[in-house]
């Protein structure tokens, strides 16, 4: 018992004589390896956890906001700058909402092809890999703008009620997806592309003039070449597209 009390007393006296400042390195066991303040800090200089959280929930991400505006501006270049009357007259298409949508759809697809190419990265000398990035994000924004415009236009049609409008949008959505697949398959083959154009614009009608289909295929190839020459930065931050005329093909 006495030995225990003596030992306890010695320990308390030693503790009182050594004052440890817990805000600094320990005076008893000094730290031999310096610790970087950046490693200790939970808020790093480049990307703190608050910024990551805001990105996750979509707050204050200025770059994504600008990219979304880019997508909407790119879509607006279609209905604002495409000469629809030339398409209707030259290709003998009826001046209807369905024809307007098919022409718009084709131009939107051209934008999607160009922008999706921004996410293709080269691996080695020959292989290429697609990684979802800004191109995919802008693609979705372009499509979002398209359907917002389509919904507004359908509402303005005479006699259109909400039920009919929803049904029409649903049908157009299915046609749109099928058209994208068809056009994509024809990217590297003119015959396949011509078949997709014939199916979409003329519903595989046998009495259609082959020259009309050929003109659209030539337009697609020429327009893709023009879009491909636009620098990435200009396409990203200065979305101004001048569409070629169908009359020149």
């Amino acid at each position: 018992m006495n030995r225990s009390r003596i030992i306890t007393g010695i320990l308390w006296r030693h503790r009182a004589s050594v004052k440890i400042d817990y805000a600094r390195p320990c005076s008893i066991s000094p730290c031999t390896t310096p610790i970087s303040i950046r490693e200790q800090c939970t808020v790093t200089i480049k990307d703190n956890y608050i910024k990551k959280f805001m990105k996750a929930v979509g707050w204050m991400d200025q770059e994504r906001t600008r990219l979304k505006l880019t997508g909407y501006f790119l879509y607006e270049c279609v209905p604002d700058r495409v000469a629809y009357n030339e398409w209707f007259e030259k290709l003998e298409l009826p001046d209807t909402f369905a024809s307007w949508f098919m022409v718009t759809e084709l131009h939107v697809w051209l934008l999607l092809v160009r922008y999706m190419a921004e996410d293709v990265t080269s691996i080695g000398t020959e292989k290429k890999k697609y990684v979802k990035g800004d191109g995919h994000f802008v693609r979705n924004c372009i499509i979002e703008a398209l359907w917002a415009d389509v919904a507004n236009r359908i509402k303005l049609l005479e006699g259109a009620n909400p039920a009919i409008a929803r049904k029409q949008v649903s049908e157009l959505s299915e046609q749109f997806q099928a058209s994208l697949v068809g056009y994509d398959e024809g990217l590297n083959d003119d015959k396949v592309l011509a078949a997709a154009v014939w199916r979409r614009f003329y519903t595989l009608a046998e009495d259609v003039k082959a020259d009309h289909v050929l003109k659209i295929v030539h337009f697609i190839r020429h327009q893709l070449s023009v879009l491909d020459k636009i620098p990435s930065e200009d396409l990203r931050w200065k979305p101004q597209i001048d569409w070629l005329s169908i009359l020149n093909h």
Side-chain angles (χ1 to χ4, degrees):
M1 180 65 72
N2 291 334
R3 180 180 296 179
S4 177
R5 289 179 179 178
I6 293 171
I7 293 174
T8 301
I10 292 173
L11 289 175
W12 274 104
R13 285 195 298 272
H14 177 75
R15 182 178 180 181
S17 63
V18 179
K19 296 182 179 180
I20 302 175
D21 186 349
Y22 291 97
R24 299 178 181 177
C26 180
S27 59
I28 298 176
S29 302
C31 181
T32 57
T33 304
I35 300 176
S36 170
I37 294 177
R38 179 178 296 185
E39 292 176 355
Q40 286 182 313
C41 185
T42 59
V43 182
T44 60
I45 295 175
K46 292 184 178 180
D47 199 6
N48 59 54
Y49 72 95
I50 297 177
K51 186 176 180 181
K52 289 181 179 178
F53 172 75
M54 288 182 173
K55 282 184 178 180
V57 299
W59 293 350
M60 297 178 65
D61 194 336
Q62 296 181 0
E63 184 174 355
R64 280 299 167 110
T65 300
R66 290 182 65 184
L67 286 174
K68 186 163 188 174
L69 290 174
T70 295
Y72 273 74
F73 283 136
L74 282 169
Y75 170 73
E76 287 299 324
C77 288
V78 177
D80 289 350
R81 300 190 177 190
V82 172
Y84 288 93
N85 289 335
E86 294 180 358
W87 281 76
F88 297 159
E89 294 173 6
K90 188 69 175 179
L91 303 175
E92 299 181 9
L93 297 171
D95 187 357
T96 62
F97 176 79
S99 295
W100 172 89
F101 182 79
M102 285 188 294
V103 175
T104 301
E105 172 188 81
L106 177 60
H107 287 76
V108 165
W109 173 74
L110 291 168
L111 289 176
L112 301 185
V113 171
R114 175 61 184 89
Y115 231 101
M116 293 292 279
E118 293 296 300
D119 289 345
V120 176
T121 57
S122 297
I123 302 177
T125 56
E126 298 181 357
K127 294 183 179 180
K128 292 185 177 181
K129 182 180 180 182
Y130 177 78
V131 180
K132 286 185 179 180
D134 291 342
H136 186 268
F137 178 78
V138 174
R139 167 196 178 276
N140 290 343
C141 293
I142 294 173
I143 295 176
E144 181 181 298
L146 165 67
W147 292 121
D149 187 28
V150 167
N152 288 332
R153 290 175 185 269
I154 289 179
K155 289 178 182 178
L156 294 176
L157 294 176
E158 282 189 36
N161 60 53
I164 295 177
R166 285 193 296 270
K167 182 178 179 181
Q168 288 178 331
V169 171
S170 177
E171 292 175 353
L172 288 175
S173 178
E174 294 177 0
Q175 295 172 17
F176 178 74
Q177 296 298 329
S179 297
L180 294 189
V181 173
Y183 292 146
D184 284 346
E185 291 177 346
L187 271 174
N188 299 316
D189 190 324
D190 282 349
K191 292 181 180 179
V192 177
L193 183 59
V197 169
W198 181 30
R199 179 171 56 251
R200 183 60 178 133
F201 278 82
Y202 299 103
T203 60
L204 300 179
E206 295 182 359
D207 59 345
V208 66
K209 295 179 180 178
D211 184 58
H212 292 346
V213 175
L214 190 61
K215 283 182 181 293
I216 298 176
V217 172
H218 285 171
F219 163 79
I220 291 173
R221 295 302 183 201
H222 192 182
Q223 187 68 68
L224 283 174
S225 176
V226 171
L227 290 174
D228 190 54
K229 294 177 183 177
I230 300 177
S232 297
E233 286 301 311
D234 289 348
L235 189 69
R236 185 173 184 176
W237 306 124
K238 302 175 184 177
Q240 300 296 327
I241 306 297
D242 292 323
W243 298 104
L244 300 175
S245 173
I246 191 64
L247 299 178
N248 300 328
H249 297 86

